[in-house]
Amino acid sequence: MPRKLIIDGDEIEVDGGTSLLQACELAGREIPRFCYHERLSIAGNCRMCLVQLDGMPKPVASCAMTVNDIRPTRDGSPNVINTRSEVIKKAREGVMEFLLINHPLDCPICDQGGECDLQDQAMVYGTGGSRYEENKRAVDEKYFGPLIKTSMTRCIQCTRCVRFMTEVAGVEELGAVGRGEDMEITTYLKHGIDSELSANVVDLCPVGALTHRPWAYNARPWELHKTESVDVMDGLGSAVHVHTRAREVMRILPRLNEDINEEWISDKTRHVSDGLRTQRLDRPYLRKNGRLEPVSWSEAFEAIVERIRATDSSFIGAIAGDMVGAEEMFALKDLMGRLGVRNIDCRQHGEVFNPTWGRASYVFNPGVAAIDEADAIVLIGTNPRIEAAVLNGRIRKRWRGGGINISVVGEPHELTYPYKFIGSSGPALASMERDGLGDAERPIFIIGPGVYRRPDGEAILSKIARLAKSLGALKTDWNGFAVLHTTAALVAGLDLEFVPKIGALKTSEIVSGAAEVIYNLGADEIEVQSDAFVIYQGTHGDRGAQRADVILPGAAYTEKIATFVNTEGRAQRTSRAVFPPGDAREDWTIIRALSECLNAKLPYDNIQQLRDAMFRAAPVLKDVGMMSCTDNSDIDRLLRLDGKVGIEPLTSIVMDFYLSNPIARASSIMAELSALSQANKTPVAAE
Amino acid sequence: MSVRRLHPNQPKTFAFTPQNSAWAQETIAKYPDGKQASAVIPLLWRAQEQHYGWLPEPAIRVVADMLEMAYIRVYEIATFYTMFQLQPVGKLAHIQVCGTTPCMLRGAQDLVAVCKRKISTQPHILSEDGNFSWEEVECLGVCANAPMVQIWKDTYEDLTPDLLETILNGFASGTPPKAGSQIGRIASSPSAGFTTLTDKTIYAGNSGSNQES
C-alpha cells in the first residue's frame, strides 16, 4: 500500500515495500552505504545508512527498514524522516570512525585508491582526524584464487562478497568465520573460488580488501580513459567499460545494461584484457619458402591479387570467424560477390542455421530479460554456466524467485540451481512432449551448441520447434524459442546471409580441399586440411595465422567501431578504445583497400557509407541497442525440416570456457584459469 | 577472545559411531523437510563429544555432507561458537574458568594463575603430558557460588586456588572430586550456615500447610 513520507521536508509517496533508503533516494537524497547493494539481500551491518525517523529513539538503518515497518503516526499524518539533521551528521561521523578504527592507512599503496567507497565517504561524511590510539587489527591474508587479490586487513565486513557468491553466483564458497572484531571473510581452507562470475566481488567490495590480482599495481583509476563498449567473448554482448592508458587496454569492467548483463560480467570478459596485448599481429606477413616473413601491405596485397586472379572463383572460399564485426563481414561478402565467389560461410563450427528459415529460427527470441518472467526453462544441449555465465546467473536469479521448473536435456552439468534431468539425447525430447511442462504459461527453450553444431542439428531443431509449439512456448505475446549463441559474430553473419547459397561450398568443404584459395576472416577454430592458399585476416598469432600464407593484421574488438549482434538479435556497437597495434588496420578498411587492388572496388570510402549499404542489405542491424521483433511463424518453417536424430548425447561443445577464442588463448590469465578449472574437474584423492 | 583457527594437526578422517549416527538421524528428523541445516549445532556438539572434546576439521565436512550444507557454512558456525573447541583439549580435563564479573571479583584470576602454573601459560595449550588444558570463559551461570570452573559437564564451585589444585590432582589421579560446591554447601545455600528460618517449629505447625522440614 502506498504511503506518504516527509523526507527532509519534501513529501513523497512510495510503495509500502520500499526500504527507507530507497525512499530517500526517490526523494533525491544521497544515503551513504557500504553493505547495501540493490541486487543483494539486505545485511544491515555497516550502519552507514542511518536516518532519523520521528518517533524512533535512535537513528535507524534505512536499508533494513521498509516503509511498512514504520508505525503510523497517531493522527495519520505522514511519518517524518530526516537525513540532514545534526544527529545524522554525528551518527555518520561516529559510524565512519568505527569503520576506520581497524582500517589501515595504506591508501597510497592500495589499488582501490581513487575508486574506494570508504575513501570517498570518509571525505564526505567522516571527521578529519582519528582519536584512536590503540593498535589496529591485522588479518591473515586469504587465498581466493588467481583473480582476486586479498588484503583482508582492509576489510570492513560488509559481506557483499559473501552474499554475491551465495546468491548471485550460486557457489557457496565464501563465508564469514569467527565473530566480532575477529570476524574474517574467507573460503573453506584456502580453496580458490570456483565460479565464472567470481571477479564481480571485486567490483562489489567497497574497500580495497578485494582487488584484481592480474591488474595489481598497474594503473590508477584517474589515469584511465573509459570507453563504453560491448563484449565479444560470448554471445551475450555484455555491456562493458574499456579502461585504457595510452595505447594499452588496462582493464575491462562491467557497465550497467538491465536487458542483458545487469551489472555483472564473466571472469573471461573481464580478464581477457591481457590477451589483447600479447601475440598480436602488427604487420602483414607473407609465406616465402615455407616461412612467414614480414612484408609491406602492398607486397601482401600483390601476392593475394596474383593468387586470386589465377584461381577460378568457384575454387575460392571465405570463412568468417567468431569475433568479427558485421561491417567487415558485409565488406567481405560484397567483395566476394564482386569476384563471383559464392563459397562464403560464417558458421565455422558447422552450425546448421540457415538465414532463409527466418530470423526467429536463430536468435534468443524472448530476450535475456524475459528469463525473469519465465515460469519454465528447458535447457537443451547447453551448459549456460560456461557458455553464457551471466545468463546462467540470471536463470539462478529467476530460480531464487521461486515457482519455476528447470529441466535439462543433454549433459547433466553442475549448474548453480537444481533442475530436472530429462535425458541426454534426442529421444528425451519426445518424453518431454508426452509429460508436458505442467501449467507453464511462459516456457523458454534454451537451445545450445550441443544441438545446432551437430550434423543432425536441423532435425533436432525441428523436434524442438515442435515441442515448443505443443508446450505453449509460441504464442502471440510470447516466443520461448531461444537459441543461445556462444560466439559474438554468428548472428550478424546470418543476418547478412554470409552463408553459401545452394550448391556453394560450406565451411567443412572449404577447409577440406574443395577450395584452392581461402579468405579466412578471423576464423581460428577451423583446420585447413588441404594445401590451399590461405589469406588470414585477424588479430592474433593463433591457429589461423599459423596456417596462413598471407597475414593481414586486423583490429580487435576494443580497437574498432564495429557492429555485433548478440544472441537476442540485438545489434550493438563496440567503440574504439585504443588504436590497433603497429600496421594493423580496422578490418573493413583492409578489405576495401584489397578490393581496389583486385579491380573490384567497394563503393564506400568511409564507415558511414559502408553502414548505409549494410543497413540496406540487413535493416535489422540499424537499430543499435534494440531487440527487433521476430516473427513466430519462422519457427513453423523449422517444423518442415526433416532428418533423423542421432542417439548421441547432446553434449556441449565449448569444452574449455577459458580458451575458446584467440584473444583468450593469448591471455596468460585465461591459461591459468583454464589449468585451474581442469584441476578442479579431476577428482583429488586427499585434501 | 582471540582469532579462532583450525588446529594444524588434524586427523585424516572422522566418522560418527553407529550409535551417534543413529542419534544424528533422529535429530535431523526432528526438523521439517528442507530445514535439516537446523541440526548443525547438535551434530557438531555430538561430534566434539565423540572426538575427545574437540572438533576436528573432517568432522566439519562430515556434518556438512550429512546436512547438505556448504563446508564454509558449517565452518562459520564452528568458528563462531566458542564452545566448539577447535584444538585438542586435555585428555583428563579441560578447565573452563569463569572470568565474568562475579567470579572475577571473587578471585577468578587466582584460579587462572593456578591453571597457568599447573597446566600451561597460555589458554588452549595442552599441558606437557597432554592431560590438561584450560581457557577462560564467560559467565556459566553459577554466580552465587563464585568463583567456579567447569570441567566437561560438571561445575566445581566456591573455589580457592588450593581447592582448584586439589581438583586438578583428583583428575590427574583418576579420582575426580564430587561436582558442585567444594566447601560442602548444598547448591547456593548460605556458606556460613542458615541464619534465618532456622526454628524447626515453624515447619511443624498445624496450620494446614503440608510443608515438613
Side-chain angles (χ1 to χ4, degrees), chain A residues 324-345:
Chain A
V324 296
E327 283 81 359
E328 49 258 35
M329 272 192 279
F330 174 73
L332 184 60
K333 187 189 172 206
D334 202 354
L335 173 63
M336 289 296 146
R338 279 160 207 269
L339 297 175
V341 176
R342 298 172 68 236
N343 311 320
I344 55 172
D345 205 347

Side-chain angles (χ1 to χ4, degrees), chain A residues 143-223:
Chain A
Y143 177 71
F144 283 9
L147 294 181
I148 304 168
K149 183 178 156 66
T150 63
S151 187
M152 298 315 273
T153 304
R154 298 174 188 149
C155 177
I156 59 168
Q157 285 106 21
C158 69
T159 68
R160 275 187 188 178
C161 51
V162 177
R163 284 175 284 146
F164 174 84
M165 291 311 295
T166 309
E167 294 162 14
V168 180
V171 179
E172 281 192 88
E173 297 211 356
L174 281 181
V177 302
R179 57 152 99 171
E181 188 197 26
D182 297 312
M183 185 171 127
E184 294 177 2
I185 307 292
T186 184
T187 53
Y188 189 72
L189 305 183
K190 300 206 166 183
H191 187 276
I193 302 175
D194 186 16
S195 165
E196 296 72 30
L197 293 170
S198 66
N200 287 302
V201 298
V202 179
D203 292 342
L204 289 172
C205 184
V207 296
L210 308 179
T211 50
H212 295 290
R213 194 188 288 276
W215 304 333
Y217 308 128
N218 264 359
R220 284 299 198 182
W222 56 83
E223 316 174 300

Side-chain angles (χ1 to χ4, degrees), chain B residues 2-206:
Chain B
S2 58
V3 177
R4 287 158 56 79
R5 292 265 190 273
L6 296 183
H7 196 256
N9 299 324
Q10 295 282 351
K12 281 259 180 296
T13 55
F14 173 87
F16 277 117
T17 59
Q19 293 92 325
N20 281 344
S21 277
W23 173 88
Q25 292 311 327
E26 274 172 36
T27 307
I28 296 169
K30 286 178 187 166
Y31 299 97
D33 250 7
K35 304 281 180 193
Q36 287 81 0
S38 301
V40 64
I41 289 181
L43 260 63
L44 284 175
W45 186 247
R46 184 55 67 101
Q48 170 162 315
E49 285 179 346
Q50 183 187 317
H51 192 266
Y52 318 108
W54 70 285
L55 189 65
E57 187 272 325
I60 292 178
R61 283 184 281 136
V62 165
V63 170
D65 289 339
M66 284 172 83
L67 303 174
E68 292 173 24
M69 293 171 76
Y71 294 163
I72 183 75
R73 293 281 100 88
V74 183
Y75 182 41
E76 282 176 331
I77 290 160
T79 54
F80 184 89
Y81 292 103
T82 53
M83 280 171 74
F84 292 123
Q85 303 293 338
L86 301 181
Q87 64 292 309
V89 296
K91 282 202 281 289
L92 298 179
H94 175 68
I95 292 103
Q96 295 175 304
V97 185
C98 172
T100 307
T101 317
C103 284
M104 187 191 76
L105 292 172
R106 297 274 296 156
Q109 286 313 306
D110 299 337
L111 304 185
V112 168
V114 170
C115 292
K116 283 184 176 174
R117 181 160 48 79
K118 297 271 290 186
I119 301 172
S120 62
T121 52
Q122 294 291 317
H124 299 296
I125 305 290
L126 292 177
S127 61
E128 268 170 31
D129 55 9
N131 286 341
F132 290 93
S133 59
W134 72 277
E135 68 176 315
E136 187 176 323
V137 297
E138 300 306 326
C139 186
L140 290 165
V142 199
C143 310
N145 294 12
M148 57 76 67
V149 302
Q150 176 173 301
I151 300 172
W152 306 133
K153 290 181 172 175
D154 292 323
T155 55
Y156 299 86
E157 303 146 17
D158 295 322
L159 295 180
T160 60
D162 290 342
L163 283 171
L164 180 59
E165 281 199 46
T166 317
I167 293 171
L168 292 182
N169 291 336
F171 273 95
S173 61
T175 52
K178 195 163 166 285
S181 171
Q182 300 299 303
I183 57 172
R185 63 169 158 170
I186 298 158
S188 50
S189 59
S191 56
F194 296 106
T195 54
T196 55
L197 304 178
T198 49
D199 183 0
K200 293 212 171 181
T201 58
I202 62 172
Y203 303 114
N206 46 14

Side-chain angles (χ1 to χ4, degrees), chain A residues 27-84:
Chain A
R29 301 297 178 276
E30 190 177 302
I31 306 292
R33 85 288 302 268
F34 294 109
C35 71
Y36 174 79
H37 192 276
E38 290 85 348
R39 288 172 218 280
L40 303 175
S41 62
I42 307 289
N45 53 9
C46 77
R47 315 309 291 178
M48 195 63 205
C49 62
L50 296 176
V51 298
Q52 206 178 1
L53 176 61
D54 266 14
M56 296 289 267
K58 293 190 282 183
V60 295
S62 61
C63 70
M65 190 173 199
T66 64
V67 173
N68 277 340
D69 298 334
I70 308 176
R71 186 159 23 151
T73 52
R74 278 172 194 277
D75 57 359
S77 61
N79 289 89
V80 176
I81 292 173
N82 214 321
T83 70
R84 292 172 176 172

Side-chain angles (χ1 to χ4, degrees), chain A residues 170-372:
Chain A
V171 179
E172 281 192 88
E173 297 211 356
L174 281 181
V177 302
R179 57 152 99 171
E181 188 197 26
D182 297 312
M183 185 171 127
E184 294 177 2
I185 307 292
T186 184
T187 53
Y188 189 72
L189 305 183
K190 300 206 166 183
H191 187 276
I193 302 175
D194 186 16
S195 165
E196 296 72 30
L197 293 170
S198 66
N200 287 302
V201 298
V202 179
D203 292 342
L204 289 172
C205 184
V207 296
L210 308 179
T211 50
H212 295 290
R213 194 188 288 276
W215 304 333
Y217 308 128
N218 264 359
R220 284 299 198 182
W222 56 83
E223 316 174 300
L224 299 171
H225 281 277
K226 286 116 186 141
T227 313
E228 293 191 356
S229 192
V230 174
D231 171 56
V232 300
M233 288 300 123
D234 54 30
L236 284 182
S238 303
V240 293
H241 274 291
V242 180
H243 289 201
T244 54
R245 187 175 60 189
R247 299 195 60 164
E248 261 185 298
V249 175
M250 300 307 288
R251 55 185 196 173
I252 295 170
L253 294 183
R255 180 161 60 91
L256 189 70
N257 186 344
E258 292 290 352
D259 291 331
I260 302 173
N261 58 318
E262 297 177 285
E263 59 190 86
W264 322 120
I265 53 174
S266 72
D267 291 354
K268 184 166 145 196
T269 299
R270 184 188 303 262
H271 282 294
V272 83
S273 55
D274 72 323
L276 290 166
R277 293 197 289 270
T278 47
Q279 294 277 77
R280 287 304 299 269
L281 301 171
D282 57 355
R283 51 168 62 178
Y285 288 83
L286 178 62
R287 195 175 289 277
K288 292 178 183 167
N289 304 324
R291 285 174 57 88
L292 284 166
E293 286 176 20
V295 292
S296 67
W297 277 103
S298 50
E299 204 179 338
F301 280 172
E302 273 165 33
I304 296 169
V305 169
E306 193 184 319
R307 274 309 284 253
I308 289 187
R309 288 239 172 94
T311 312
D312 185 273
S313 64
S314 60
F315 293 108
I316 301 176
I319 301 170
D322 291 342
M323 293 191 297
V324 296
E327 283 81 359
E328 49 258 35
M329 272 192 279
F330 174 73
L332 184 60
K333 187 189 172 206
D334 202 354
L335 173 63
M336 289 296 146
R338 279 160 207 269
L339 297 175
V341 176
R342 298 172 68 236
N343 311 320
I344 55 172
D345 205 347
C346 63
R347 303 166 301 181
Q348 64 162 330
H349 302 278
E351 290 91 342
V352 295
F353 298 115
N354 191 332
T356 57
W357 299 341
R359 201 165 191 245
S361 70
Y362 60 83
V363 298
F364 199 99
N365 289 300
V368 171
I371 289 174
D372 298 349

Side-chain angles (χ1 to χ4, degrees), chain A residues 235-236 351-354 357-368 378-382 387-388 391 444-453 457 461 464-465 479-487 490-491 494 565-569 630 635 638:
Chain A
L236 284 182
E351 290 91 342
V352 295
F353 298 115
N354 191 332
W357 299 341
R359 201 165 191 245
S361 70
Y362 60 83
V363 298
F364 199 99
N365 289 300
V368 171
V378 185
L379 301 167
I380 307 169
T382 178
E387 285 157 8
L391 180 112
I444 294 184
F445 290 78
I446 299 181
I447 301 146
V451 171
Y452 57 74
R453 286 189 189 171
L461 278 179
I464 296 170
N479 185 343
F481 188 86
V483 176
L484 179 62
H485 288 275
T486 59
T487 59
L490 187 60
V491 179
L494 295 168
V565 183
N566 81 346
T567 189
E568 303 167 291
T630 49
I635 311 289
L638 288 177

